[in-house]
Amino acid sequence: MKLSFLGAARQVTGSMYLLELEDDYRILIDCGSDLERSGPVQAGPGLAGSNGQAIPTTPHAGFFPFEASSINLVLLTHAHVDHSGNLPNLFREGYEGQILCTEPTFALTNVLLKDAASLNQKRINELNASKKQRVKDRQAQMQKDLFLDKQVRETMENVVPIAFNRKFRVADGVDVTFIPAGHLLGAAHIVINVTENGERKSICFSGDIGRKNYPLLVDPGTVPPVDYLVCESTYGNRLHENRLSPEEALADVIQRTCIDIPGRLIIPSFSVGRTQALLYTLNKLYTERDFPPIKVFSDSPMGFESTKIYLQHVKMLNGEAREFYKENETLFDFQNFQFLESSKASKAVSNYGEPCIIISSSGMVQGGRVEYHVAENISNPYSTILIIGYCAEGTLGWRLLNGQQTLTIKGKEHQVLASIEKIDVFSGHGDRNDLMEFVGMQSPETLRNIFLVHGEYESMESFKATLAEAGYPQVIIPKKGESFEL
C-alpha cells in the first residue's frame, strides 16, 4: 500500500492523507481546510515521492491533487475544520462515497460546515452587491471556490456514524477501528488493518491527541500494536505550563479580575469544544465552591448549537461529567448564566455595569463576535482578556500576547490598557509528555515507521529527537505531497 501526505505536512492545519491499496482501493483520511494559506488547494504536476521523484497524478484545476471520483472511502478523525473543512468541496468535485466517523463527530461537523457555508454565502453576497467589474469577477471566482449549503447537505447525507472500539469491515481484507482520542467530543484515533497478498499490515492515524483529565472528555484510549504510526506533533517541543486543575486556574483568574477588583473578564474561546469545557468548569465552581453569582455571558450561536450536542451525548463523556450530570441534572446551565443568541443582545452587554464574564468566539480573537467585545474593553484598565489557547502569528490574540500597545480592530485603533493573561489548562492538545505516552504504546522493535504531521517544523524536529532518545529511530517528517510505499 502507498501513503501520501497531502496536508498538515510540516504545518499544523489542512490534515489530509491518502492511503492507496491494491485493486485501486483508495481511502482518504481527513479532508481539512488549510488555515495557513488562502484560496483553494491547487493541483501540481504530481506528488513528490519519498525518493524525490514525481508520482504522476491527473492534473486538473481543483482543490485536490487527485480526481475526487477516484476515492472509495473517507475516514474522519474529528469535526474541527482543519480536519473536515474541505469535505463539501470533495463532493462538489465528484466524490460519491461515504464518510465514516463517530456519531458526535457527525453532529459537530454538521454545525461547523453549515456555519462555514453561511459565511461563504455572505462573502459572495457582499461582492455581488458591488458595481465594479473587477469585484464581480472576483465574486464569480469565489462562487467556484467556496462551498455553500447545498454541498454541506450532500456531504452530511453521506456520513455513516460508527461506534468506538468496534472493527468495521470496509472492503475485502480491510477493516477500521475508531478509538477514543480525547481532544474533542467524538474525536478518534483510526486504526486500519489491511491484508494484501497474504500479508497483514496495520496503520494508525492519531488525529489530534487529547489530554488526560480534561473537562468533560474521556482520556485517550489504548491503541493496539501497529506497523505504522501517523502521529500529530502540535506540542511536540513543549509542555503545558499551568499545572493547576482547570477549576483552580479559572478560579484564581476570576477571583483577581471580578471579585477582588469589580472588573470584567473577556475570554476568547473556540465555539466547539473549548466553550463547553469552560461552561462546565464554571458550573462546577458555582455549584461546588459557592462562588459569588457573577454574571456569565456566552456569546456564540455556534457555541449554543454545539452545547446542545454535548448534552445529547452525555453517555460519551467522562465519568466525572456523567456523575455531575446525574446529581445536578445539568452540565452547562447555572445561576446567572445567559446565552446571547442575537447580535443585538451581544452589543447590549457593553452596557452591563456589574462585574461579569464574557465568553465569545473566536479563540484567536480573529473574526467572530469576540472582536466587538475586545474593542469595547481593550482600553478599560478594569478589564482582563484571558487567552486560553494557541493564537496563530498575526492574529489579534497573538498581538495581545506579544505585548502590542495598540490594536486596530475593524479600522479603528485602540490603546491596550486592559490586562492580558494566558492559561493553557483548557488546551485540547496533549503536550510532549502526552505525545510520548501515545507513541509509547508501540514497541520500538516492531514499529516500522513513525510519520510526524500536524505541527510546526521546529516542533516536529524537536519531537523527532525526543523519540530517537527513547529508542524510536525510524521517524520521518514528510513533506507535503510526499508518498511512501508501506
Side-chain angles (χ1 to χ4, degrees):
M1 58 185 178
K2 182 171 69 177
L3 176 62
S4 299
F5 294 85
L6 308 181
R10 305 193 180 191
Q11 68 178 60
V12 176
T13 65
S15 291
M16 184 164 58
Y17 317 104
L18 178 62
L19 189 64
E20 299 176 82
L21 312 180
E22 290 191 351
D23 301 323
D24 292 326
Y25 194 84
R26 296 153 67 88
I27 303 174
L28 195 68
I29 298 89
D30 285 345
C31 190
S33 298
D34 185 344
L35 306 180
E36 296 162 61
R37 64 189 298 276
S38 60
V41 176
Q42 297 298 327
L47 301 177
S50 57
N51 59 359
Q53 299 298 313
I55 297 174
T57 58
T58 304
H60 62 291
F63 276 76
F64 310 102
F66 53 78
E67 291 291 343
S69 60
S70 71
I71 303 298
N72 298 92
L73 180 68
V74 174
L75 305 177
L76 180 60
T77 59
H78 65 286
H80 283 148
V81 293
D82 60 323
H83 294 257
S84 69
N86 262 332
L87 287 170
N89 291 320
L90 191 70
F91 279 91
R92 186 173 62 177
E93 291 205 1
Y95 178 60
E96 297 179 341
Q98 296 177 332
I99 302 168
L100 302 188
C101 64
T102 66
E103 180 68 42
T105 294
F106 165 66
L108 292 174
T109 299
N110 189 38
V111 169
L112 283 161
L113 294 183
K114 281 185 175 180
D115 181 73
S118 177
L119 291 174
N120 289 345
Q121 185 66 67
K122 183 179 179 181
R123 292 168 66 190
I124 291 172
N125 291 344
E126 289 173 349
L127 289 175
N128 196 38
S130 174
K131 296 181 179 180
K132 296 180 179 179
Q133 185 58 47
R134 63 180 179 81
V135 178
K136 287 188 174 293
D137 292 342
R138 174 62 180 149
Q139 184 262 352
Q141 182 61 44
M142 287 181 70
Q143 283 186 312
K144 297 178 181 179
D145 293 345
L146 301 178
F147 65 80
L148 300 175
D149 192 60
K150 176 183 177 182
Q151 286 79 39
V152 174
R153 289 197 305 271
E154 181 182 7
T155 299
M156 303 317 297
E157 287 170 357
N158 287 279
V159 174
V160 178
I162 64 174
F164 278 122
N165 297 315
R166 294 184 183 177
K167 285 187 178 181
F168 191 85
R169 181 178 173 274
V170 297
D172 289 341
V174 183
D175 64 67
V176 301
T177 305
F178 285 66
I179 298 170
H183 180 68
L184 178 69
L185 179 66
H189 310 309
I190 299 179
V191 175
I192 305 175
N193 293 305
V194 179
T195 301
E196 292 181 328
N197 300 320
E199 182 183 3
R200 186 175 176 82
K201 302 175 185 177
S202 56
I203 181 170
C204 174
F205 294 85
S206 72
D208 287 353
I209 299 167
R211 306 169 64 175
K212 290 186 175 180
N213 303 313
Y214 189 82
L216 296 171
L217 301 181
V218 298
D219 291 346
T222 301
V223 174
V226 295
D227 298 307
Y228 302 95
L229 192 63
V230 179
C231 182
E232 68 116 322
S233 53
T234 312
Y235 278 62
N237 62 345
R238 56 197 185 275
L239 302 176
H240 290 304
E241 298 172 3
N242 201 307
R243 293 300 168 183
L244 298 176
S245 70
E247 295 97 309
E248 292 169 334
L250 193 56
D252 173 65
V253 176
I254 295 172
Q255 182 71 44
R256 290 185 288 102
T257 61
C258 296
I259 299 174
D260 295 344
I261 298 173
R264 178 174 288 200
L265 179 62
I266 313 298
I267 309 179
S269 176
F270 293 112
S271 300
V272 180
R274 204 73 54 85
T275 290
Q276 290 71 42
L278 268 174
L279 294 179
Y280 171 65
T281 302
L282 285 167
N283 194 359
K284 290 180 69 179
L285 286 178
Y286 290 143
T287 302
E288 300 173 354
R289 299 199 182 192
D290 198 27
F291 248 56
I294 301 165
K295 191 77 173 180
V296 177
F297 299 101
S298 179
D299 190 15
S300 168
M302 193 195 305
F304 180 71
E305 294 299 320
S306 303
T307 298
K308 291 193 293 186
I309 292 170
Y310 271 68
L311 288 170
Q312 292 165 2
H313 294 90
V314 171
K315 291 183 179 179
M316 301 187 76
L317 302 178
N318 63 34
E320 179 190 70
R322 295 196 306 271
E323 187 62 28
F324 185 91
Y325 182 80
K326 182 179 178 181
E327 292 179 2
N328 299 280
E329 298 182 348
T330 180
L331 288 174
F332 309 110
D333 193 16
F334 48 90
Q335 186 181 9
N336 285 315
F337 169 66
Q338 180 182 346
F339 265 116
L340 303 176
E341 297 188 43
S342 68
S343 58
K344 182 178 179 180
S346 172
K347 292 181 179 179
V349 170
S350 61
N351 297 319
Y352 185 78
E354 300 296 323
C356 65
I357 301 168
I358 302 173
I359 302 168
S360 187
S361 62
S362 74
M364 297 187 192
V365 200
Q366 197 73 15
R369 293 182 179 181
V370 74
E371 284 193 11
Y372 171 80
H373 297 296
V374 170
E376 287 292 306
N377 293 278
I378 193 67
S379 298
N380 179 0
Y382 288 95
S383 290
T384 299
I385 299 173
L386 177 64
I387 305 296
I388 62 170
Y390 172 78
C391 291
E393 185 174 347
T395 61
L396 292 177
W398 179 86
R399 293 172 186 170
L400 287 170
L401 288 174
N402 282 272
Q404 191 165 314
Q405 296 302 304
T406 60
L407 282 183
T408 300
I409 303 175
K410 297 189 182 301
K412 185 177 179 180
E413 189 172 280
H414 301 265
Q415 189 175 2
V416 179
L417 298 178
S419 298
I420 311 300
E421 297 199 21
K422 179 183 179 181
I423 56 176
D424 62 9
V425 292
F426 290 99
S427 170
H429 279 278
D431 64 11
R432 185 181 65 210
N433 288 343
D434 296 309
L435 298 180
M436 283 302 300
E437 186 169 342
F438 173 77
V439 176
M441 289 185 276
Q442 306 297 322
S443 168
E445 288 75 29
T446 58
L447 188 64
R448 298 184 187 180
N449 284 115
I450 301 173
F451 298 97
L452 298 184
V453 297
H454 199 291
E456 296 171 349
Y457 187 64
E458 294 79 7
S459 176
M460 293 179 172
E461 286 281 15
S462 176
F463 190 44
K464 179 178 179 178
T466 301
L467 288 168
E469 292 175 3
Y472 294 90
Q474 303 299 325
V475 181
I476 298 171
I477 303 176
K479 299 176 183 177
K480 186 172 183 178
E482 199 167 9
S483 296
F484 299 84
E485 292 290 341
L486 305 183

